[in-house]
Structure formats: C-alpha cells, structure tokens
Amino acid sequence: MALPCRGLLVPLFRSSWGRWRSVPAQYWRNPQQPGCMCFGSARSSGDPECEPHTPVLLNEVLHYLDIQPGQVFLDLTFGGGGHSKAILRSVPGVTVVAADRDPVAFRLAQKLAEEYPGQVRPVLARFSQLRELLPSLGLADSGLDAALLDAGCSSMQMDVAVRGFSLSKDGPLDMRMDGDRYPAMPGAADAVNALDQQALTSVLATYGEERHARKIAAAIAQARSFHPIVRTQQLARIVAGAFPACAEYARRDRLQRPSHVATKTFQALRVFVNDELNELVAGLQEAQRLLRPGGRLCVLTFHSLEDRIVKRFLRGEDLAAPRRGGVRQLIRAADEEQDGEEGEAESGRWAHLRRKVVLPSKEEVQGNPRGRSAKLRAAMRL
C-alpha cells in the first residue's frame, strides 16, 4: 500500500527550524511487500460505546456564543455533544448542526436528534468536506448565527484502547479519527513502519515539538528493523528505551504530574495521521464563510500548534505565508503565546470578543484534569 505524503503546514514557527517543510515523497520507505503495508490488522470494525467526555470551559463557551432562541448553531466537532446538549437545554427553538468526522460521535448525534426532533441535524464529515455537504441541509453562505470548533482528540477516543490513541492502554497503533470509514487510509502503525528516519524526525519535531526527535526516530527505525511496530504500548516502550530509565516519567504536565516521555511522540503521530492542522484551517475557513455578520465563533485548542493557527487566522494573516520578523521577535511572540498574555490585533473580518485567551479555572482543572491545557478564543464575524 502506498502511503500518501502529508504536507506540513508551512507558517508554523519554531526557533530551531524557522520554516516547516513538507515531507518529501522519497522519504517514505519502500515496503518489502507492496500492497501489504497496513499493519493495523487488529483494527476494530466497530467502536465500543463509551461515556462522553466532560465539556471544557462550558460556561465560557455559552457566554461568548450568546445563542438566542430560534438561531442556527454549528458544532464543528460534536464529540460527546456536551456543548450542544447544554445549548439545546438552555435555548428554546435552537437548531444544532452536529458535525464530526468520527462515526462514534455521529451515532451519538443521531441519538440526540431523536431526543430533539427537528432541532438536531447530524453530519458525518471532516472540516474539508463540509462545503460539499452543508448546502444539502439548507445552509448557505452567511446562514449561521454561531459556531464552535473544539480541536484535537476527544476523551471518547482516548479512553477506548482499540482506537489506538492512548499510550497508557494497549491496543492497535491506529489513531485514525475517521475510524474505518476509509480502510485504505494509513494509520499510525503505517507511519512508524513506513516513514524514512529523516521524515520521522521531521514529523516528531514539527507536530509534537519534541526536542529529542532525532533520538526517538533512530530508536523507532532500529526497533522496526526487527519487528513491525503495531501496538501502542510497544511504541511507548521503544520511545522510553531511548532514554535512561529514570527519564521515563521525568517530564511534567501543567499540573506538575509525571508525564510519559512518549506523550509528544503520540501527539505528533496523531496530528500527522489525521492531517489535523490543515483540517483545522479548513474548519476555520468554513466558519468564516458560513457565519453571518455579527455571528460568533468560539475555538477551543489544546496545544500551541493549534492555538497559533487560530490566533493568526483571527488576525487576518495569510496562513500560507511565513511569519514576519527576526528571530528574536518570533521567539518573543512564541513566549507571549505560551503565557497567554498577548494582545490581539483586529482583522478586517473578525472582532475579538476578548483580547486575551480564556483559560480554565483552577476549580475546573481539578474536576476535569484533561482540560488543563485548553485555550478558548472568541470572535465576532464582521
């Protein structure tokens, strides 16, 4: 099976790289048996039911969306439906377009449509597919009143071992958010077994912001020369083996809890396999096209790569162009973004509803630790 070349989003900045480059096609390793490179043989044909995740920054999202009775709301990432359910319960007569690329989320949206007849319209699609599908629902340009985009991976995906997202649960190394909708779509196992070592290094450094990308890529390349890497904890052990034993949980998350050394590797592979950053741009562009003047957009992000894209988009910057300024200015800007204390410039198409990024409170983080890295940006369509 030939694996597609994933394009790396050019304008993202890191001081050590400057400008991202795409992964050249020649960096993909040639399979020894063409047509037999799909290592995820244990992929499930169905997804087990699981408890929906707790919605992050729910009160803040509802406040900035400010949805009124009878309005039309687009949930670009329905997931477990936490935000949409809260809107349906609190706003009479609202219409919710519940979109998601995950078949499990789509089934949950269908169940919610049964509870609210005529008010919920489920859509199974990626962001990049919405332009073709939404007109069939009667949604034209400037026809929406509010939209929410909750980027990244949901707890429902992380908590199910067979989906292959979690390094703490052993399962097939899959990570495809689309599930089995596209059987020929490569999963994470295909990437770690087929990518050239140089390309793996690029993926880990770019999408995981992993400082030790070269060391980890070398360990993966050595391990796969003996056996294909097909399980999540198999990969986690390989990554951990590239470091001293004391370093396995030496890293700390934002709550100062021990974090596994392979966490950024898993993030990088997930973002790469699902083309998440380019899909995020497509979702933002769809929201801009569909929202009426005065319509509101809320975007939740969970790591700096996503947040930088959202910030630049709402500023009206060209996402296909490299960042301007010298190295010192770019480093200073990246530090300010990390601290969440930067001001925002108005663009010609968006007015910020709050100039600073919204972070979860200490109380919310204690009750829902997975939301600790969430950032909310809210804007109004001009």
Side-chain angles (χ1 to χ4, degrees), residues 51-62 65 73 75 77-89 148-151 153-156 159 300-302 359-361 363-372 374-376:
E51 289 296 324
H53 68 284
T54 303
V56 179
L57 290 167
L58 176 60
N59 293 331
E60 291 82 356
V61 168
L62 296 180
L65 287 177
F73 164 65
D75 192 339
T77 43
F78 180 77
H83 293 97
S84 289
K85 291 176 183 177
I87 291 171
L88 287 164
R89 288 193 295 262
L148 169 65
L149 196 161
D150 186 351
C153 187
S154 73
S155 291
M156 294 190 305
D159 289 339
L300 286 165
T301 60
F302 291 86
L359 304 175
S361 65
E363 293 75 17
E364 179 171 0
V365 172
Q366 289 176 353
N368 182 20
R370 285 184 174 175
R372 62 190 178 275
K375 292 182 178 181
L376 169 64

Side-chain angles (χ1 to χ4, degrees), residues 301-375:
T301 60
F302 291 86
H303 57 76
S304 58
L305 299 180
E306 297 169 339
D307 186 59
R308 289 171 200 162
I309 291 174
V310 176
K311 178 181 176 181
R312 295 186 66 196
F313 180 84
L314 295 179
R315 281 179 168 177
E317 295 185 26
D318 180 5
L319 295 180
R323 296 288 295 268
R324 293 181 179 179
V327 172
R328 290 185 179 180
Q329 289 86 347
L330 291 174
I331 293 174
R332 187 180 301 115
D335 290 340
E336 289 175 351
E337 289 172 359
Q338 190 69 23
D339 294 336
E341 296 296 333
E342 76 286 353
E344 295 290 356
E346 299 292 349
S347 73
R349 296 181 177 178
W350 298 97
H352 295 277
L353 298 175
R354 177 186 168 101
R355 288 195 173 274
K356 292 184 179 180
V357 67
V358 182
L359 304 175
S361 65
K362 292 182 179 179
E363 293 75 17
E364 179 171 0
V365 172
Q366 289 176 353
N368 182 20
R370 285 184 174 175
R372 62 190 178 275
S373 58
K375 292 182 178 181

Side-chain angles (χ1 to χ4, degrees), residues 63-294:
H63 168 72
Y64 286 111
L65 287 177
D66 191 27
I67 299 176
Q68 302 300 311
Q71 289 189 336
V72 180
F73 164 65
L74 171 61
D75 192 339
L76 285 155
T77 43
F78 180 77
H83 293 97
S84 289
K85 291 176 183 177
I87 291 171
L88 287 164
R89 288 193 295 262
S90 60
V91 184
V94 67
T95 298
V96 174
V97 180
D100 207 292
R101 67 189 291 179
D102 192 324
V104 175
F106 178 68
R107 291 198 293 270
L108 292 174
Q110 289 178 313
K111 292 181 180 179
L112 189 63
E114 296 174 359
E115 298 178 26
Y116 293 88
Q119 287 187 259
V120 179
R121 303 177 183 179
V123 179
L124 179 61
R126 302 175 183 177
F127 298 147
S128 57
Q129 298 170 331
L130 292 176
R131 183 180 289 267
E132 300 176 2
L133 298 177
L134 292 184
S136 64
L137 299 178
L139 291 179
D141 292 3
S142 304
L144 285 179
D145 299 292
L148 169 65
L149 196 161
D150 186 351
C153 187
S154 73
S155 291
M156 294 190 305
Q157 294 164 335
M158 294 292 294
D159 289 339
V160 181
V162 75
R163 300 296 299 272
F165 288 95
S166 175
L167 62 84
S168 63
K169 297 177 174 64
D170 189 41
L173 191 58
D174 192 343
M175 299 193 192
R176 295 173 303 161
M177 290 182 175
D178 297 280
D180 286 325
R181 291 178 61 205
Y182 305 104
M185 175 183 173
D190 300 300
V192 298
N193 286 286
L195 276 175
D196 175 271
Q197 182 175 330
Q198 182 178 350
L200 260 180
T201 300
S202 180
V203 167
L204 298 180
T206 303
Y207 294 134
E209 297 184 296
E210 173 58 67
R211 293 175 297 171
H212 303 287
R214 290 182 183 275
K215 179 187 293 187
I216 294 172
I220 290 173
Q222 182 180 17
R224 71 190 182 191
S225 66
F226 297 99
H227 299 286
I229 304 170
V230 297
R231 309 288 295 183
T232 55
Q233 292 194 345
Q234 179 189 7
L235 176 60
R237 289 192 298 269
I238 291 169
V239 175
F243 299 87
C246 61
E248 184 171 355
Y249 285 96
R251 297 179 179 181
R252 294 288 184 270
D253 63 18
R254 292 192 177 184
L255 297 180
Q256 295 304 307
R257 301 180 306 178
S259 177
H260 195 280
V261 71
T263 299
K264 291 186 176 182
T265 297
F266 273 66
Q267 173 188 305
L269 290 170
R270 190 202 79 214
V271 173
F272 176 74
V273 166
N274 294 288
D275 202 17
E276 289 183 33
L277 300 187
N278 288 312
E279 283 295 317
L280 173 58
V281 173
L284 293 170
Q285 292 172 339
E286 281 304 291
Q288 181 170 278
R289 181 179 69 88
L290 292 168
L291 283 170
R292 62 171 176 80

Side-chain angles (χ1 to χ4, degrees), residues 11-57:
L12 296 178
F13 166 78
R14 280 182 87 230
S15 58
S16 61
W17 283 70
R19 182 173 177 176
W20 298 127
R21 301 176 183 271
S22 61
V23 177
Q26 65 265 26
Y27 287 159
W28 291 94
R29 297 170 64 242
N30 293 323
Q32 295 179 356
Q33 296 179 340
C36 301
M37 281 297 292
C38 186
F39 292 104
S41 59
R43 290 170 181 164
S44 172
S45 59
D47 295 291
E49 295 296 329
C50 55
E51 289 296 324
H53 68 284
T54 303
V56 179
L57 290 167

